[in-house]
Amino acid sequence: MEPNDRCAEPTNLTLTDAQVRIQKTIAPITGIEEIPLKQAKGRVLATTITAPIDLPPFANSAMDGYAFCHADLARQASATLTIAGTSFAGRPYPGKLGSGECVRIFTGAAMPNGADTVVMQEDVTRLSDGIRLEKAILPLANVRPAGDEIRRGECLLERGKILDPADLGLLASAGFPQAMVTRKLRVAFFSTGDELQPVGETLAFGQIYDSNRYLIHGLLDHPSIKIIDLGVITDDAAAIKKTLLEASDQADAIITSGGVSVGDADFITSCLAELGKVEFWKVAVKPGKPFAFGKIGPAWFFGLPGNPVAVMVTFQQLVRPALLEMIGSQTKPPLRLMAVCRSPLKKSPGRMEFQRGIFEADAEGNFAVTGIDRQGSHQLSGMSQANCFIVLPIENSRIKPGEMVEIEPFVSASF
Ligand code: AMP
Ligand code: MG
């Protein structure tokens, strides 16, 4: 039986069709947990948070200076005010301002009762018991009103946000010691191939080291993911099926590399069809064509090709958005920019290509990109050297120097 006959599922989808099919098929996982803020970086916020207090909670000074009532100053014959006391951050002035008075105030200190404006200390002359303002000043200057950032009851953070350090600080500023987050996504993965030797062992003739396990581990290494490494499995249908079943028992998603093509030792799609469902197989993308997507029991399945660069391309374009969707985060398409291409690029017809390039900005801020020399899908060194993909649509043919191309910068090496 030809591998193409093994499943009646669509093959050779465009990348966009494949992305849409995955996105339409999968659903976010359920299950949430409350964790301390310090452990919440990289986790997905499970509920929308409204501010329980005004931020800032009280009107305070944005400067070191003197707080006073602007209308009162206008009534004074000369622009002089007497210092009635001091308001420090955390130690407010307890009294109420009288006419002709000001209060020495520091950044973050509460505005005294009766004051609405702060003059910077640089803009006054100190007198023996007071100050003289040397410049005109607008009412309400240098004051941060209560709630000017966020009012009580307004949205502080949206559900689905992957929490970053700013978010942790924001939650803390509103008084939350904990965060309610989506549970971790369990992702099991294994490599397949008779030629694969774990690192640390000696290579026999015909063997290579299993680099994809490290590559995929690196791609999955993220606080929202629990990684389940199931090792290397030989090109043996029974062994692959056993491992797939083991994976589907423990994981929300399964990722494999290798064995997904049409060779005599490629068993992944037939095993997937036997144990579960092949949703689609093969995508018109280079590298990465033999990518397969399906389901085994409750777990979504992503069959990545064996070539390491194809692993990276299919992970970033097809798996990453799916995992983000599963953990309930807002999926953002990767940032793409236009750049002048400085080198000629070969492009074969019929597939969208993700070539590897190095981009930089010139003095005017325009982007230019050069394709790296080693473009083979087995040449991981090229991926390591590059800082972007050069994204060539299906219909593109060869690119001449000076033509504009789309690039996708590598924003982060992991998830
Ligand atoms: P396959 O998709 O199994 O036909 O493999 C395609 C190419 O990727 C072959 O050259 C394999 O030796 C190589 N390959 C497969 N799995 C891995 C792996 N885990 N690490 C490094 N190379 C691999
Ligand atoms: Mg293989």
Side-chain angles (χ1 to χ4, degrees), residues 190-197 206-216 231-232 235 257-263 265-266 268 290 304-308 310-311 377-378 380:
F190 59 93
S191 301
T192 67
D194 287 343
E195 74 280 33
L196 302 176
Q197 190 68 313
Q207 291 185 320
I208 57 169
Y209 287 118
D210 174 12
S211 51
N212 287 348
R213 282 253 302 301
Y214 290 84
L215 177 59
I216 294 173
V232 185
D235 290 317
S257 79
V260 76
S261 198
V262 293
D266 293 334
I268 289 290
L304 276 43
N307 278 309
V311 167
S377 64
H378 59 295
L380 205 45

Side-chain angles (χ1 to χ4, degrees), residues 242-258:
K242 181 170 167 285
T243 315
L244 284 174
L245 286 176
E246 195 189 320
S248 70
D249 272 351
Q250 324 173 34
D252 305 297
I254 306 167
I255 298 173
T256 61
S257 79

Side-chain angles (χ1 to χ4, degrees), residues 83-257:
I83 301 172
T86 305
S87 183
F88 292 99
R91 271 188 288 145
Y93 174 69
K96 184 176 186 326
L97 276 194
S99 178
E101 285 182 345
C102 68
V103 158
R104 177 77 171 117
I105 196 163
F106 298 97
T107 307
M111 287 296 285
N113 194 353
D116 61 7
T117 305
V118 171
V119 58
M120 287 163 66
Q121 61 191 32
E122 292 85 342
D123 292 344
V124 304
T125 302
R126 267 304 283 260
L127 310 172
S128 58
D129 60 348
I131 56 165
R132 186 174 62 243
L133 278 75
E134 300 299 353
K135 287 184 184 167
I137 184 165
L138 290 172
L140 314 181
N142 304 316
V143 175
R144 307 162 176 163
D148 85 329
E149 185 182 359
I150 293 171
R151 289 210 164 279
R152 188 162 82 99
E154 278 180 1
C155 178
L156 191 67
L157 281 173
E158 298 261 10
R159 167 186 174 179
K161 180 90 179 17
I162 295 187
L163 297 172
D164 61 23
D167 299 326
L168 302 185
L170 192 57
L171 287 169
S173 70
F176 293 100
Q178 319 245 60
M180 195 66 90
V181 297
T182 311
R183 74 160 167 84
K184 289 192 185 202
L185 186 74
R186 298 160 309 174
V187 183
F189 75 104
F190 59 93
S191 301
T192 67
D194 287 343
E195 74 280 33
L196 302 176
Q197 190 68 313
V199 288
E201 306 286 323
T202 308
L203 290 181
F205 179 64
Q207 291 185 320
I208 57 169
Y209 287 118
D210 174 12
S211 51
N212 287 348
R213 282 253 302 301
Y214 290 84
L215 177 59
I216 294 173
H217 191 280
L219 288 164
L220 287 174
D221 189 13
H222 188 273
S224 281
I225 293 190
K226 178 176 185 286
I227 302 176
I228 306 166
D229 183 348
L230 297 176
V232 185
I233 309 300
T234 52
D235 290 317
D236 169 70
I240 290 173
K241 276 190 273 183
K242 181 170 167 285
T243 315
L244 284 174
L245 286 176
E246 195 189 320
S248 70
D249 272 351
Q250 324 173 34
D252 305 297
I254 306 167
I255 298 173
T256 61
S257 79

